[in-house]
Amino acid sequence: MSSFHIDEATGVDTAGNGTADKPYQSLGFAIFSHGPDASYLTRKDATGTYEEPTQSSVKKAKKTAEGLEKKRQKADELERKAAEEREQRDKVLQASKKIVLTQDPSLPKPTKAKIVHLPPLRSQRVTVFGWVHRLRAQKDLIFIVLRDGTGYLQCVLSGLAAQTYEALTLIVESSVQLEGTLQVVPEGKSAPGGHELAVDYWRLIGGSPSGEDAFNTRLNEKTDPSKQADLRHLVLRGETASNVLRLRAALLSAFRQAYAANSFTEVTPPCLVQTQVEGGATLFTLDYYGEPAFLTQSSQLYLETCLPSLGDVFCVQESFRAEKSHTRRHLSEYTHLEAELAFIDFNDLMTHIESIICDAVSTLLANPATAAIIKQLNPSFEAPSRPFLRMTYQDAIAWLNEHGIQHELEDEDGNPILDANGQKKMVDHAVGDDIAEAAERQMTDIIGKPIFLHGFPAELKAFYMRKIPSKEGDKIFTESCDLLMPNVGEIVGGSMRIDDMDELIAAYQREGIPTEPYYWFTDQRKYGTCHHGGYGLGVERLLAWLANRHTVRECSLYPRWPGRATP
């Protein structure tokens, strides 16, 4: 080629070859590629003509070429060193395959134990099984943080234990058996539990892949949330996710203790039902041997039937809501902690809800292990002070208007009405409005403590709720309450139940509900009725408040929301 072409506008350095059809973009790169003695022609853009470069531009380009040459030499040197290291590692790996680690019969027989049970076994030989949670190689040592579901253990491999082929190729999330002496960490050092395992024998049980399939490649802080949902089975291995689930288990246990202390009996109602509780629009329907059936929205009706035989009862049961809501506090399937109490009034009900929650939280904070988890997940958490604030629905409407918190104006189909500028039309709240989630949460966050919002209009609530006596022509309100928590909003909904049979049948008729499928529920008013009430608590919502999680999706093992039913 007589001359190499450079087009500063359309040329490409790495893909060009210097022809008029494939020019370079920079003179510096051209000189770097072909040397300073070659002939070059340059132009500013595709509409200009190629001309010989000026002396000043050649001088500047030579400096650029020198810089590129230094980078090339450095890259070559790095590649040479990397090749040497790969060659050396290959030699080490080949040699490591000849190393066979065996148990020393002269050593005391190890005691098999879970990590949580290790403290009494210090200075003794132990065997632990688990997964490699973290891994770090340092000279002739390999440091492992082992996880077995009960805790974490720092382990040190040295000598032949760190020289086997399995040791040199070990990957995080591999499952292993480790044997050695449990030693207290030296003063000034730290490790989970205050001790570490000096390993003298170990074996690989199940390996973990490297490369693109490596755990840390598939899942890290940059992984897209939708991908994290697909990989929920791997997310659960993380410290935060597992701690949330561990706290969830402790929370349910604490509630059961609190209920037992109050002489409640736990029951297990059915999930397959043929009656609705919270309205037909949110039911999942299915064919049940040729008959229509639903996944339960609430176990309340069944709990009420247990009162005459078992007294106060509760259940921990899954509930299902088919509403297409994607908010951070909604799930299509959630754990519903529900309870029913006999021979109480409305104040008794709210006092009980407050007491059972505070008792459960106190149990968690009194346990050093669960208190540590709460501290890690939610460092600023403080147990709620009693009594909880009680605010009527009508006072809440007034409070929202006083603080300038408005709501969207909607048409009959629930669509937002827009103003002349295309913005959502906002209006003050009025008695009769269903207070929107956003306004409710904003109010709770400003007040900054638990609030019992009570006395909702009857038209906003379920058919079975007891009415507050009123004068003829007055608006009818119900003995109902929602418990609101800061940063989450509503976590409990409860009410006194209609205990008069004629009033209940009138409620069926008003809502257009056929009475026959509810005969067993209606019978509770026929055979010895009484004042009674109950509530439903969303476990994931309470856990989100307790653990300071942004969304309830983090508080479920495998969360379900519209469009998500995997894994």
Side-chain angles (χ1 to χ4, degrees), residues 227-521:
K227 191 64 176 176
Q228 289 187 35
D230 290 336
L231 299 178
R232 179 68 177 169
H233 58 294
L234 299 182
V235 171
L236 297 177
R237 300 187 181 207
E239 292 177 36
T240 297
S242 59
N243 271 337
V244 170
L245 294 178
R246 199 169 280 112
L247 180 58
R248 176 190 171 107
L251 176 63
L252 291 175
S253 176
F255 268 115
R256 286 187 165 99
Q257 290 180 46
Y259 282 121
N262 285 275
S263 301
F264 278 66
T265 300
E266 183 173 3
V267 295
T268 307
C271 282
L272 286 170
V273 301
Q274 291 186 307
T275 50
Q276 67 185 50
V277 181
E278 301 295 341
T282 64
L283 285 167
F284 284 107
T285 61
L286 54 96
D287 182 280
Y288 185 70
Y289 302 108
E291 292 185 299
F294 318 108
L295 293 178
T296 185
Q297 301 164 311
S298 167
S299 297
Q300 174 210 319
L301 307 189
Y302 294 96
L303 292 179
E304 288 190 44
T305 68
C306 298
L307 293 176
S309 57
L310 300 175
D312 297 341
V313 290
F314 78 99
C315 72
V316 180
Q317 182 67 284
E318 297 304 286
S319 284
F320 304 84
R321 298 290 174 89
E323 56 190 318
K324 294 182 179 179
S325 179
H326 290 268
T327 76
R328 63 189 179 96
R329 68 174 196 172
H330 280 91
L331 291 170
S332 298
E333 175 187 4
Y334 67 97
T335 302
H336 213 172
L337 192 155
E338 298 181 86
E340 289 292 321
L341 299 81
F343 303 106
I344 61 169
D345 62 26
F346 189 40
N347 283 324
D348 293 335
L349 177 64
M350 288 189 285
T351 300
H352 161 79
I353 295 171
E354 176 183 302
S355 176
I356 209 76
I357 290 174
C358 290
D359 287 352
V361 171
S362 295
T363 297
L364 294 176
L365 294 177
N367 183 310
T370 52
I373 294 175
I374 293 173
K375 184 70 175 177
Q376 182 177 350
L377 294 171
N378 189 0
S380 61
F381 179 80
E382 293 182 3
S385 59
R386 301 173 63 179
F388 293 172
L389 176 65
R390 297 186 183 186
M391 178 186 290
T392 69
Y393 163 85
Q394 296 177 79
D395 286 343
I397 293 292
W399 190 98
L400 291 169
N401 290 334
E402 288 170 5
H403 289 77
I405 299 174
Q406 297 181 308
H407 70 98
E408 298 175 8
L409 194 61
E410 298 179 342
D411 60 23
E412 293 180 356
D413 297 323
N415 300 313
I417 296 175
L418 306 181
D419 61 21
N421 298 318
Q423 300 297 315
K424 293 178 179 178
K425 189 172 288 187
M426 306 296 290
V427 296
D428 288 343
H429 287 81
V431 174
D433 289 342
D434 190 358
I435 301 174
E437 173 192 335
E440 191 177 72
R441 192 167 63 241
Q442 192 174 352
M443 179 181 71
T444 309
D445 291 349
I446 291 172
I447 294 175
K449 55 185 177 181
I451 304 171
F452 271 118
L453 200 58
H454 62 91
F456 294 91
E459 63 266 23
L460 299 180
K461 289 298 180 179
F463 71 92
Y464 52 76
M465 293 188 178
R466 182 182 172 89
K467 311 297 186 296
I468 298 174
S470 62
K471 295 179 182 179
E472 186 69 28
D474 286 354
K475 195 170 188 66
I476 299 176
F477 296 90
T478 56
E479 290 187 328
S480 59
C481 63
D482 288 347
L483 177 59
L484 314 178
M485 287 294 193
N487 301 320
V488 179
E490 179 193 344
I491 64 167
V492 179
S495 77
M496 294 298 291
R497 319 308 194 188
I498 293 175
D499 53 72
D500 179 79
M501 187 164 69
D502 292 337
E503 185 181 347
L504 181 60
I505 291 174
Y508 291 148
Q509 294 172 346
R510 185 175 59 253
E511 298 294 329
I513 298 173
T515 59
E516 181 56 30
Y518 292 84
Y519 72 93
W520 50 275
F521 178 67

